[in-house]
Amino acid sequence: PRRRGGGTAGAQQQQQQQQPLVVAAAAAGGKASQKRRPARRPVSTTPFGPGASLEALLDLQDRAAADDTYVRLRDAKLRQNDFHEVVPADDDDRDVALAELASSQRTAPKRPDAERPRQYVPRNPYNTPAAFPATPHHVFDDPRVFDKLTTDTLFFIFYYQQGTYQQYLAARELKKQSWRYHKKYMTWFQRHEEPKVTTDEFEQGTYVYFDYETGWCQRIKADFTFEYNFLEDELVA
């Protein structure tokens, strides 16, 4: 017959032999779990807390910067008293909301998106050979070019390129040459001589004006009264 004491001692000895194996397996499992855990991105030292402006985040170019923004937002201390919005009580819900905010930062509009697209649309489309330019040359966007154009060319650009940047440049150059636009007659006037009469409301004398309706030429108008309320004075030469 087997002794009871011997059996108990044998079981204790077997348990002591298995215990180091269990500890080693647990340690190995802990190391494996540590290896599987993703490395946390280092948090930026730039202060970002409740009430901080998001203006600096509008120019994010890559995903890494947006992910860093998410980390900074997630680690910010959101308090009910400091931040006058409802803060989700559940951390998981807050992380989801912050992740969505970080995702929106990746596709946030850039400043060039607010600019009007400069797509040329011809006013009078006409089939031309392939060698003929289809769009205006970019050189006409340079204000220095308009300093070299003749007066007649400036008038042509002003009347036939209405609503464009080139019309503005032509008008500015005409004002540099002492031409003044009359809003009632919709044409340009220039003093031929010093006014004979000058008041706070008008001046009277001989003027040169551009006839764009009948002759496309410059004519002289004597004893003309130029009322100042019809003078275009918004454009700075």
Side-chain angles (χ1 to χ4, degrees):
R2 183 177 301 176
R3 297 181 180 178
R4 294 182 180 179
T8 303
Q12 293 178 353
Q13 183 178 4
Q14 184 178 4
Q15 185 177 2
Q16 292 176 357
Q17 293 176 355
Q18 292 179 354
Q19 186 174 1
L21 299 177
V22 174
V23 174
K31 293 181 180 180
S33 61
Q34 291 178 358
K35 292 181 180 179
R36 289 194 301 266
R37 182 179 301 173
R40 185 175 180 181
R41 181 183 296 274
V43 180
S44 175
T45 58
T46 304
F48 193 92
S53 176
L54 296 177
E55 181 68 21
L57 304 178
L58 294 180
D59 293 332
L60 295 177
Q61 300 293 334
D62 55 348
R63 293 179 179 270
D67 294 339
D68 181 67
T69 302
Y70 163 66
V71 174
R72 293 158 62 191
L73 286 169
R74 185 185 62 186
D75 293 344
K77 303 297 183 181
L78 300 179
R79 298 189 181 92
Q80 187 79 21
N81 297 332
D82 297 336
F83 197 61
H84 301 289
E85 289 187 5
V86 178
V87 180
D90 190 1
D91 293 340
D92 294 337
D93 295 340
R94 188 181 66 178
D95 289 345
V96 170
L98 294 177
E100 293 177 354
L101 177 60
S103 177
S104 67
Q105 293 294 337
R106 300 190 186 104
T107 57
K110 307 296 186 298
R111 288 186 178 86
D113 296 337
E115 298 179 358
R116 182 179 179 181
R118 303 183 63 180
Q119 298 178 355
Y120 176 71
V121 178
R123 300 182 180 182
N124 300 311
Y126 189 79
N127 293 328
T128 57
F132 194 82
T135 58
H137 200 277
H138 62 83
V139 70
F140 293 105
D141 294 335
D142 189 355
R144 295 172 296 181
V145 175
F146 288 75
D147 297 339
K148 306 175 183 178
L149 300 179
T150 62
T151 305
D152 187 72
T153 304
L154 294 174
F155 284 133
F156 176 83
I157 296 174
F158 177 82
Y159 285 106
Y160 284 91
Q161 298 293 327
Q162 297 184 14
T164 63
Y165 179 58
Q166 287 72 24
Q167 184 192 31
Y168 162 77
L169 294 177
R172 190 178 69 171
E173 185 61 28
L174 287 171
K175 294 195 71 172
K176 289 181 180 179
Q177 300 179 12
S178 300
W179 288 91
R180 295 297 180 262
Y181 187 72
H182 197 288
K183 294 187 290 186
K184 179 180 179 180
Y185 298 108
M186 294 184 294
T187 190
W188 292 85
F189 284 80
Q190 188 182 60
R191 290 177 178 176
H192 183 66
E193 59 185 13
E194 289 298 322
K196 298 178 181 180
V197 179
T198 303
T199 66
D200 295 337
E201 298 180 356
F202 67 89
E203 63 182 43
Q204 188 177 22
T206 304
Y207 292 84
V208 179
Y209 74 96
F210 183 74
D211 182 7
Y212 70 96
E213 292 183 312
T214 59
W216 196 263
C217 61
Q218 299 181 21
R219 303 183 186 274
I220 296 180
K221 182 70 174 178
D223 296 330
F224 178 75
T225 302
F226 200 123
E227 300 180 22
Y228 293 145
N229 59 332
F230 294 122
L231 173 65
E232 189 281 322
D233 55 357
E234 298 179 358
L235 179 64
V236 179

